[in-house]
Amino acid sequence: MNNVAILKAENLSKAFGGIKAVQNARIEVPTGSITGLIGPNGAGKTTFFNLLSNFLKPDLGTVQLMGVPIQGKPPHAIAQLGMVRTFQVPRVLSRLSVLENMLLAAQGQIGEKFWNAWFQATKIAEQERQNREKARHILESIGMIHMAGNYAGSLSGGQRKLLEIGRALMSDPKLILLDEPAAGVNPALIEEICGHIQQWNQSGLSFLIIEHNMDVIMSLCDRVWVLAEGRYLADGTPEEVCCNPQVLEAYLGSG
Ligand code: ATP
């Protein structure tokens, strides 16, 4: 981890009618870190993710990825710049196979125009071969290669989460935003997912993770940011944040 922020957002705000879901919130994710984002139910974490990844347009605020402003850019353009995300409820395509789900994530990389149609066809075939090889390699690394031909709809909730992370890896990201990777996942698979996250982090990938499971936050994260009622509340090491009286009060008050 170094001190340069791979992702930096300031003054992000979003209201839904009268509900101020996110108000002047900010975050900095150090390059190479595993950073956590926590807060009580309804604190605005998922809305904040949606604003960071431009799945929702902010009312106000700026987001920079590696120093480049990304607000207003569509999610596929943000993915090409190096940031991808997963969802609280995994968005896998149930009627496609696990491998097909992976290959779909690679589409969009074939966008270049070529004058020579034959050359283009050859190039696309080569790209497809490489994508297939990469998909199989990722599935192997997450222990899902034996399921490559299975319908994604036949996977358990935890396996879908893992597939979604695998799919995110298809675009060779620098930063992955994970929305509750442990929610609804059995303890053995949570441990497996955490192990993969640590391995990918050691090979240079940064993460921003929303998670309610504090064991996961404590074991994975270098730094943690806290949102409460849509606002920035605190940040620090997991230990600092967990014994911060304001944070404890926000959690107790929300119950
Ligand atoms: P949880 O931990 O329970 O998933 P969260 O911290 O992710 O919650 P959000 O889902 O971002 O919180 O919700 C923040 C607030 O914004 C809540 O009051 C929620 O009801 C509201 N909200 C979120 N999305 C919408 C929407 N599309 N329309 C209206 N209100 C919304």
Side-chain angles (χ1 to χ4, degrees), residues 14-17 19-22 38-50 56 88 179-180 210 212 227 230:
K14 181 75 188 177
F16 300 105
I19 300 169
K20 291 179 177 170
V22 174
I38 65 168
N41 286 326
K45 302 178 298 296
T46 294
T47 305
F48 193 56
F49 253 37
N50 289 338
L56 266 181
Q88 205 167 341
D179 196 345
E180 298 199 33
I210 294 179
H212 283 289
L227 274 186

Side-chain angles (χ1 to χ4, degrees), residues 23-103:
Q23 300 182 67
N24 291 324
R26 64 189 172 87
I27 198 164
E28 274 189 38
V29 178
T31 305
S33 71
I34 303 179
T35 296
L37 177 62
I38 65 168
N41 286 326
K45 302 178 298 296
T46 294
T47 305
F48 193 56
F49 253 37
N50 289 338
L51 299 176
L52 293 174
S53 53
N54 211 29
F55 275 81
L56 266 181
K57 188 176 178 307
D59 298 333
L60 264 181
T62 58
V63 185
Q64 290 188 351
L65 179 66
M66 292 175 277
V68 177
I70 57 168
Q71 68 266 25
K73 291 190 192 294
H76 72 267
I78 295 176
Q80 282 170 353
L81 286 170
M83 181 173 91
V84 287
R85 65 166 297 179
T86 67
F87 293 86
Q88 205 167 341
V89 178
R91 295 186 172 182
V92 300
L93 294 159
S94 303
R95 294 184 183 192
L96 295 185
S97 74
V98 166
L99 182 63
E100 285 163 342
N101 267 272
M102 295 287 288
L103 292 172

Side-chain angles (χ1 to χ4, degrees), residues 213-224:
N213 182 328
M214 287 309 287
D215 290 338
V216 169
I217 291 288
M218 295 300 285
S219 68
L220 282 183
C221 295
D222 308 299
R223 282 200 84 72
V224 180

Side-chain angles (χ1 to χ4, degrees), residues 125-253:
E126 173 57 16
Q127 181 75 62
E128 276 179 2
R129 191 192 63 74
Q130 285 175 11
N131 288 343
R132 207 164 267 271
E133 202 170 285
K134 188 200 273 184
R136 296 190 73 85
H137 175 75
I138 294 170
L139 287 175
E140 201 150 335
S141 75
I142 58 177
M144 290 184 78
I145 189 68
H146 61 291
M147 302 173 194
N150 297 5
Y151 282 121
S154 69
L155 302 179
S156 71
Q159 289 166 339
R160 286 175 193 222
K161 295 225 165 184
L162 203 45
L163 173 59
E164 216 187 22
I165 302 174
R167 234 171 32 174
L169 291 169
M170 285 297 288
S171 61
D172 296 322
K174 305 265 187 299
L175 169 65
I176 303 187
L177 311 187
L178 298 177
D179 196 345
E180 298 199 33
V185 180
N186 72 62
L189 196 47
I190 290 178
E191 208 170 304
E192 201 182 311
I193 292 175
C194 288
H196 290 309
I197 291 172
Q198 276 166 327
Q199 267 178 7
W200 292 318
N201 176 246
Q202 276 156 20
S203 59
L205 192 51
S206 307
F207 288 91
L208 175 61
I209 304 179
I210 294 179
E211 191 48 69
H212 283 289
N213 182 328
M214 287 309 287
D215 290 338
V216 169
I217 291 288
M218 295 300 285
S219 68
L220 282 183
C221 295
D222 308 299
R223 282 200 84 72
V224 180
W225 290 67
V226 189
L227 274 186
E229 296 178 357
R231 294 178 182 276
Y232 163 86
L233 183 67
D235 72 287
T237 63
E239 293 75 18
E240 284 165 354
V241 158
C242 280
C243 60
N244 178 324
Q246 282 179 296
V247 175
L248 293 172
E249 198 184 314
Y251 271 90
L252 292 173

